Amino acid sequence: MTSPQQPLEPHHHAPDPGHGHGAGHGAGHGHGAGGGGGGHGHSHSHGPAAPVSRHLRKVIAAILIPFAAAVVVGLAVLWPGGTPAHERTGVGFDRQTEQGEVVSVEHVDCKDVNAAQVPPTGDTSTPEGREAVNSQQGQCEKATVEVTSGPDKGRRFVEIVQPDAPRQLHEGQGVVVAYAPDAPHDLQYSVTDVNRKLPLALLAGIFAVAVVVVGRMRGVMALIALAVSFLVLTYFILPAILEGSNPLVVAVVGSSAIMLLALYMCHGLSARTSVAVLGTLISLLLIGLLGSLFIGWASLSGNTDDNTGLIHGLYPEIDMSGLLLAGVIIGSLGVLDDVTVTQTSAVWELHQADPGMGPRGLYRAGIRIGRDHIASVVNTLVLAYAGAALPLLLLFSIARSSMGTVANSELVAEEIVRTLIGSIGLVASVPVTTVLAALVVSADRPASGGGKPAAVRGGRRRRAK
């Protein structure tokens, strides 16, 4: 990849002022990624980057090429033949589902449609008693639902919705219906969820348009990288784990593949991106080591809810604690990418603003930027978990459990370990990436020309990344 080389001395002049940028104006080249202007011939640039000599590129390649080769070998060895088949249990997500539509809704007396239930005792001191009383009171919805997909397309059944049910049905609404082949004919189908495909697709479309409008070509590449990440997750990581491969090894190989593809696709094949890759890799290794140590030390089984219990029941050969560690690694990758790219870019910009700044000065300036980033991101991780686990935390509050009791329960301890290990890796990535970037950009020397930039046709200068 080529783009104009930043002048090393301020006395270079050209007739066209558009080519007279000095070292302190490196940041001004960033508009080239969006289409460029002012007569520049480098609209394809992925943003400003300091010159990198051929020797330094060879050093970086000597580190990353074997790593990339190892990732490719790992993908080839662990690549699954597909998701293993199994007989459906009809429990939780392991149910056969079809699409349906509510064709009519009528209001009826709950006492009439719930007559077959056990008569209430009138005792409302227990949840069961209150539910029994409520089931005999008020107006219920009697919804007629038509199956719109599968072998029973066109078949209709009746769904009774209690007045206090969290999800009410209305005519014309799309729903997801569960099919139980072993149940009596009239009870084989039941509404299990609503169809949310349209609002979700619309929201995804708005997100994609916003990313492209603001990010332009970089935004398009980010969306492509996002799709690639989902493909790796769907066609490699998940099936490989279900086939019985070690979850930790699968997560490391899969995360490395996602990291290489996403970073280079979004930020270009350059030394700056390679430094971010190295910083992310070192941080992921630290997260893996800490995760292995503390998940084993804290005796976390990884089997804490109905979903993980169902997975363990269907595939008992899966190492659930290893699956927990794999989740920690994959979950940390996205935030690490953000931090390492930001730190690398900051050091590169600092070097362009003051080419005479040495590695110590670059590190000190870059770490000050990183501290601000850490302060906001770590708080974000903790609040993100608190928001997701709010119902669980409310249950502990209702039970008047102490903070120590709550933290010691495996369900919460698992999330604490997950959050803290990810945060440690995040914090460590800032100094690690800053040191690498400062050393690389400071150790570089022009390839030739005695320190003078090499001129090329049209008044343009070339620089290697």
Side-chain angles (χ1 to χ4, degrees):
M1 180 175 295
T2 62
S3 52
Q5 181 172 346
Q6 174 188 316
L8 299 179
E9 297 176 1
H11 62 272
H12 298 283
H13 299 281
D16 182 2
H19 294 285
H21 292 289
H25 296 79
H29 294 176
H31 65 276
H40 289 281
H42 56 278
S43 61
H44 63 282
S45 172
H46 288 280
V52 172
S53 65
R54 181 176 299 177
H55 172 71
L56 195 53
R57 279 184 290 167
K58 288 182 178 179
V59 172
I60 296 174
I63 299 173
L64 288 180
I65 289 178
F67 168 65
V71 172
V72 172
V73 171
L75 288 172
V77 172
L78 297 173
W79 194 266
T83 303
H86 72 280
E87 185 177 350
R88 291 186 180 274
T89 63
V91 178
F93 289 104
D94 193 38
R95 290 180 288 182
Q96 180 180 340
T97 58
E98 302 291 349
Q99 299 299 311
E101 182 181 348
V102 180
V103 295
S104 66
V105 176
E106 61 177 309
H107 294 276
V108 296
D109 194 332
C110 288
K111 186 177 295 185
D112 295 336
V113 294
N114 293 325
Q117 293 186 359
V118 177
T121 61
D123 181 11
T124 59
S125 61
T126 63
E128 293 81 4
R130 287 192 293 271
E131 183 178 351
V133 171
N134 292 336
S135 68
Q136 302 291 321
Q137 299 175 348
Q139 293 288 308
C140 291
E141 289 183 346
K142 184 178 181 181
T144 301
V145 182
E146 180 177 327
V147 181
T148 58
S149 67
D152 290 333
K153 182 179 180 180
R155 178 175 168 179
R156 295 188 175 188
F157 64 95
V158 174
E159 182 83 10
I160 303 300
V161 183
Q162 303 297 329
D164 58 347
R167 181 175 59 244
Q168 301 294 315
L169 302 179
H170 57 81
E171 189 173 336
Q173 183 179 27
V175 294
V176 178
V177 298
Y179 175 61
D182 296 332
H185 185 270
D186 293 340
L187 302 177
Q188 286 182 333
Y189 281 97
S190 61
V191 175
T192 184
D193 209 341
V194 299
N195 191 329
R196 305 181 179 89
K197 291 182 179 179
L198 180 59
L200 291 178
L202 179 60
L203 183 60
I206 295 173
F207 164 74
V209 170
V211 170
V212 173
V213 168
V214 177
R216 299 188 179 181
M217 193 59 196
R218 190 73 66 86
V220 173
M221 297 307 297
L223 292 176
I224 296 175
L226 179 62
V228 170
S229 299
F230 273 107
L231 289 175
V232 173
L233 183 66
T234 304
Y235 290 99
F236 172 69
I237 294 179
L238 299 180
I241 292 175
L242 290 178
E243 276 197 349
S245 299
N246 187 295
L248 177 58
V249 176
V250 171
V252 169
V253 174
S255 297
S256 299
I258 291 173
M259 174 184 65
L260 290 171
L261 292 170
L263 285 180
Y264 283 118
M265 288 178 66
C266 291
H267 305 285
L269 190 63
S270 65
R272 181 171 60 181
T273 306
S274 299
V275 171
V277 168
L278 288 173
T280 305
L281 174 61
I282 294 172
S283 301
L284 282 177
L285 291 175
L286 176 62
I287 289 174
L289 291 174
L290 290 176
S292 298
L293 173 62
F294 283 95
I295 287 176
W297 193 3
S299 300
L300 297 178
S301 65
N303 189 359
T304 54
D305 56 24
D306 293 339
N307 294 328
T308 53
L310 179 59
I311 292 172
H312 184 63
L314 294 174
Y315 299 95
E317 68 277 5
I318 293 179
D319 179 11
M320 299 304 294
S321 60
L323 187 63
L324 171 60
L325 179 56
V328 172
I329 293 174
I330 295 173
S332 302
L333 180 60
V335 185
L336 282 175
D337 285 352
D338 174 38
V339 173
T340 55
V341 169
T342 300
Q343 285 304 112
T344 306
S345 297
V347 173
W348 244 260
E349 293 292 344
L350 289 167
H351 179 69
Q352 285 193 326
D354 184 3
M357 188 181 297
R360 187 183 298 271
L362 286 172
Y363 174 78
R364 288 177 177 174
I367 203 68
R368 285 195 294 270
I369 298 173
R371 290 190 185 112
D372 290 338
H373 204 177
I374 287 174
S376 59
V377 173
V378 169
N379 196 42
T380 300
L381 290 174
V382 175
L383 291 180
Y385 166 67
L390 202 57
L392 176 64
L393 297 178
L394 281 174
L395 288 177
F396 281 111
S397 179
I398 292 171
R400 297 183 180 181
S401 301
S402 65
M403 186 63 68
T405 301
V406 172
N408 189 68
S409 65
E410 183 171 2
L411 193 59
V412 176
E414 181 179 295
E415 297 302 329
I416 291 175
V417 169
R418 188 198 310 268
T419 302
L420 293 181
I421 289 175
S423 299
I424 291 171
L426 179 66
V427 171
S429 70
V430 172
V432 168
T433 307
T434 306
V435 166
L436 289 174
L439 291 175
V440 168
V441 80
S442 299
D444 183 54
R445 295 292 182 272
S448 62
K452 295 180 181 181
V456 292
R457 285 185 301 175
R460 299 176 186 171
R461 302 179 181 92
R462 298 173 61 87
R463 70 179 176 197
K465 287 185 179 180

